[in-house]
Amino acid sequence: MKHEDYIQHDGLSLGELVRESKITPEELLDAAITQMERVQPTINAVCWPELDLARDQARQMHQTLQSNKETFKGQFLGVPMLLKDMGMTAEGFTLTNGSRLFKGYKSNQDNELALRLRKAGFNFFGRSTTPEFGANCTTEALVYGAPTRNPWNTELSSGGSSGGAAAAVAAGILPVAHASDGGGSIRIPASCCGLFGLKPTRMRNPTGPIVGEGWGGLGVEHVISRSVRDSAAVLDATHGRDIGAPYCAPIFTGRYQDLNETELQPLRIGLVTKSPSGLPVHTDCLAAVEDAAKLCETLGHHIIPTELPDINYADFGHAMRLIVAAGIAQVVRTGCAMHNTAPNLDLLEISIFTAMDFAQKHSAVDYADAVALIHQIGRKLGFFIQNYDVLLTPTLTSPPVEIGRYAANRDYVTHRSDTLQFTTFLPYFNASGQPAMSVPLYWNKDNLPIGVQFAADAGREDLLFQLAFQLEQARSWFDRLSPLAF
């Protein structure tokens, strides 16, 4: 399959070609690998490829298809998939969590989300890069030897922590990639790379059976994609009860991808332009959100200027830092026990190494206070959004940043305080557990994508998908690809 043909399709379209025997799973995998080999030296988005496992899987799919097409029900049959190098286990695949501490570690089982993605038809062929333990808004982990670069401008970052996933999709390696979000990590790179990224409601997707929650319930898993329908169809395939999970998302009984066919009634959209941190927002990001508001008005929606509830941002930032540091410390302790070693700077970056000290200086009561504050903020946002159907905010406070701007070579508190200024609009919706999405509707004069964020009440991914389908139809971004994609 020629690359110019491959990049014309989203994941659902590629899966349909396989099902109709117009292309084989092996040919799809070869197309992804060829593009990966072409752009990887430039963007460094893929790590720990497992091409033999992927080729075996493609062969088995092809053989089964030849004998019985009905064996596979998944809509993404044979579609290549990268898994983020963070958290998700997949049998036979290396998992380092972006850290030298775990270099060489291989998972011995699929977690529940990996099982559901396989059932959907995806063929895993490697991992995508991430900052160490996902604790950064750019992707520059030392374990990969070089930073992950933005396909729109390689002097800039692709964002984080799902930076490798977004860079790989934007560079045309694959149409959709696994991602996760504990404070903006789907929406940040989606904005930086001109892609669609939806963070689902807390526990919409499974985290089991190994993990109950990530970062005190802040973390969720899903994908970054070029098309809205790929994101919707993946969520159709992966959401649902996760046995023994500590939370349960509101039940949804329909199909998200079918919402493209339903009429969307005019929405009350709360427009937020003031940063909750009080710091200024870049004019490009303000222009993007104002442009999105005007587009929504032309589609019949009602724009209502508003401000987020009054929340002490310094206290919120401290609570986030403590919860994340505690989660990091737990994983580092596990890794150190595996290697019978103590935490050290040969294995950990400075921000992560000092996060251990930060976590250990705080008591269990301090941690409980931080979780209680996060829950209070969630309550505030939950009640606040009842005044609107959807909130519209900038995704980030500036366009994509240069490589090194948020490098993890500083102490944890300074580093995380700095990154929160870039992502200020995003982690509130991790605290509340509400769904939120970054939509690529605007490019600035430098031809850099600037996303805008829409958020809805808990469990209302259906409303966000309806709006996203409408926006995609009104101003399609699918064919607006980065220069490196060609």
Side-chain angles (χ1 to χ4, degrees):
M1 188 180 204
K2 293 181 179 179
H3 184 64
E4 54 265 34
D5 298 322
Y6 176 67
I7 61 174
Q8 290 178 8
H9 297 276
D10 66 359
L12 283 172
S13 178
L14 292 175
E16 187 63 24
L17 290 176
V18 172
R19 186 168 298 284
E20 294 174 352
S21 300
K22 294 179 179 178
I23 193 169
T24 67
E26 296 99 322
E27 289 171 320
L28 272 192
L29 180 61
D30 285 342
I33 292 171
T34 298
Q35 181 68 352
M36 176 186 72
E37 291 173 343
R38 187 178 77 82
V39 302
Q40 173 66 6
T42 302
I43 60 172
N44 193 37
V46 181
C47 57
W48 327 131
E50 296 286 354
L51 302 187
D52 288 342
L53 288 177
R55 288 192 171 103
D56 286 346
Q57 181 67 18
R59 253 190 317 270
Q60 291 172 22
M61 285 181 179
H62 190 186
Q63 291 169 359
T64 305
L65 277 170
Q66 289 178 314
S67 60
N68 184 3
K69 285 187 178 183
E70 296 306 311
T71 299
F72 290 110
K73 303 294 185 183
Q75 292 180 284
F76 294 95
L77 184 55
V79 176
M81 168 61 77
L82 290 171
L83 303 178
K84 183 177 177 179
D85 189 24
M86 172 80 184
M88 180 192 278
T89 61
E91 185 175 1
F93 282 75
T94 299
L95 175 62
T96 72
N97 299 298
S99 178
R100 293 165 292 174
L101 179 61
F102 286 91
K103 191 171 183 179
Y105 172 77
K106 284 185 180 287
S107 307
N108 60 12
Q109 70 176 97
D110 286 352
N111 70 4
E112 182 61 26
L113 184 57
L115 288 171
R116 295 183 191 186
L117 288 172
R118 287 193 196 274
K119 189 175 180 180
F122 286 111
N123 185 7
F124 306 157
F125 70 101
R127 295 280 186 180
S128 64
T129 56
T130 184
E132 190 168 34
F133 301 115
N136 204 350
C137 59
T138 62
T139 301
E140 306 175 39
L142 297 180
V143 70
Y144 307 126
T148 298
R149 297 181 179 274
N150 193 319
W152 288 92
N153 179 336
T154 56
E155 296 301 310
L156 305 178
S157 173
S158 63
S161 64
S162 306
V169 174
I173 297 174
L174 70 173
V176 56
H178 165 249
S180 60
D181 191 317
S185 294
I186 287 174
R187 292 158 288 161
I188 298 164
S191 177
C192 291
C193 294
L195 302 168
F196 179 74
L198 176 128
K199 178 198 82 70
T201 297
R202 178 178 292 136
M203 209 56 72
R204 175 66 72 197
N205 274 330
T207 59
I210 301 170
V211 176
E213 64 175 9
W215 292 356
L218 298 171
V220 295
E221 312 246 351
H222 190 40
V223 294
I224 291 174
S225 62
R226 283 173 62 195
S227 74
V228 175
R229 70 175 195 155
D230 271 359
S231 182
V234 171
L235 197 57
D236 281 332
T238 57
H239 84 90
R241 185 186 176 209
D242 184 21
I243 296 174
Y247 311 101
C248 181
I251 294 173
F252 179 71
T253 57
R255 288 210 320 167
Y256 292 112
Q257 60 195 293
D258 291 344
L259 297 171
N260 194 25
E261 307 299 326
T262 62
E263 183 180 356
L264 180 59
Q265 299 299 315
L267 301 177
R268 289 170 50 84
I269 299 178
L271 172 62
V272 178
T273 58
K274 182 181 177 182
S275 166
S277 69
L279 292 178
V281 178
H282 194 283
T283 54
D284 286 349
C285 299
L286 292 175
V289 78
E290 289 162 2
D291 173 74
K294 289 177 183 176
L295 176 59
C296 288
E297 283 185 319
T298 67
L299 296 171
H301 304 301
H302 307 294
I303 301 297
I304 307 162
T306 187
E307 293 183 11
L308 291 172
D310 184 22
I311 293 166
N312 187 309
Y313 201 77
D315 290 347
F316 172 66
H318 173 76
M320 286 282 296
R321 286 190 293 274
L322 181 51
I323 291 169
V324 171
I328 289 170
Q330 181 186 39
V331 178
V332 170
R333 184 173 62 182
T334 299
C336 287
M338 287 168 52
H339 296 293
N340 193 28
T341 188
N344 62 79
L345 289 173
D346 290 331
L347 296 174
L348 300 171
E349 296 173 40
I350 293 172
S351 179
I352 297 301
F353 182 76
T354 54
M356 298 285 295
D357 183 58
F358 178 77
Q360 290 162 357
K361 283 181 176 177
H362 289 80
S363 69
V365 175
D366 293 332
Y367 180 84
D369 283 343
V371 172
L373 179 61
I374 292 294
H375 291 170
Q376 289 170 16
I377 290 170
R379 296 280 188 180
K380 270 194 173 185
L381 285 169
F383 280 106
F384 174 72
I385 208 167
Q386 303 307 310
N387 299 308
Y388 312 95
D389 297 306
V390 170
L391 295 177
L392 167 59
T393 81
T395 299
L396 298 168
T397 60
S398 82
V401 298
E402 66 275 12
I403 298 291
R405 170 66 181 84
Y406 293 110
N409 56 3
R410 290 167 286 167
D411 76 275
Y412 174 76
V413 173
T414 301
H415 179 241
R416 291 291 291 176
S417 299
D418 199 13
T419 62
L420 262 179
Q421 306 310 319
F422 182 51
T423 65
T424 179
F425 291 98
L426 305 182
Y428 276 10
F429 301 105
N430 296 85
S432 67
Q434 294 164 278
M437 63 184 182
S438 182
V439 185
L441 298 173
Y442 188 88
W443 272 252
N444 69 8
K445 61 180 177 57
D446 296 319
N447 199 33
L448 293 175
I450 310 288
V452 293
Q453 176 179 234
F454 292 90
D457 199 7
R460 293 309 309 270
E461 289 92 338
D462 59 325
L463 191 59
L464 291 182
F465 274 127
Q466 280 186 291
L467 178 58
F469 280 127
Q470 188 183 59
L471 293 169
E472 186 181 38
Q473 185 175 11
R475 190 184 293 172
S476 177
W477 56 81
F478 186 82
D479 293 325
R480 190 159 190 175
L481 294 168
S482 75
L484 273 184
F486 300 98

